[in-house]
Amino acid sequence: MITLTQLTELLGWASVLNIGILIFATLVFSIMKTTVSAIHSKMFNISENELSIIYFKYLANYKILTTVFILVPYIALKIMGQ
């Protein structure tokens, strides 16, 4: 059985990893937008204008899910003193 201390540590590392992935994806999409858009446009047969909206929705959803399911429970456990 997992203890609250182990759960807190797990959520802490999961927060670090997910925030790192979010930052990496944001940097890739902002720095290499034309290259990534061209590749994805050809792969999925979607216009580059639509891809900008899809990228934004992806990053927004990833941020919300990371915040709600990983970061907030971690902060709550830290406040509880675990």
Side-chain angles (χ1 to χ4, degrees):
M1 190 63 120
I2 191 168
T3 65
L4 286 178
T5 305
Q6 291 172 327
L7 180 62
T8 303
E9 189 173 344
L10 173 73
L11 289 172
W13 282 111
S15 296
V16 169
L17 291 173
N18 277 293
I19 291 169
I21 291 169
L22 181 64
I23 290 170
F24 176 74
T26 303
L27 289 174
V28 167
F29 289 145
S30 60
I31 294 171
M32 301 175 56
K33 184 178 180 180
T34 55
T35 306
V36 173
S37 293
I39 292 170
H40 287 157
S41 178
K42 290 176 186 173
M43 282 176 60
F44 300 113
N45 210 12
I46 299 173
S47 72
E48 291 189 24
N49 291 335
E50 284 183 77
L51 280 173
S52 294
I53 296 169
I54 292 170
Y55 294 152
F56 182 77
K57 285 182 183 179
Y58 162 74
L59 291 172
N61 288 334
Y62 195 86
K63 181 171 54 174
I64 291 168
L65 290 172
T66 298
T67 302
V68 170
F69 291 111
I70 296 177
L71 192 61
V72 170
Y74 172 71
I75 293 169
L77 286 170
K78 289 304 261 185
I79 290 172
M80 288 174 37
Q82 295 298 326

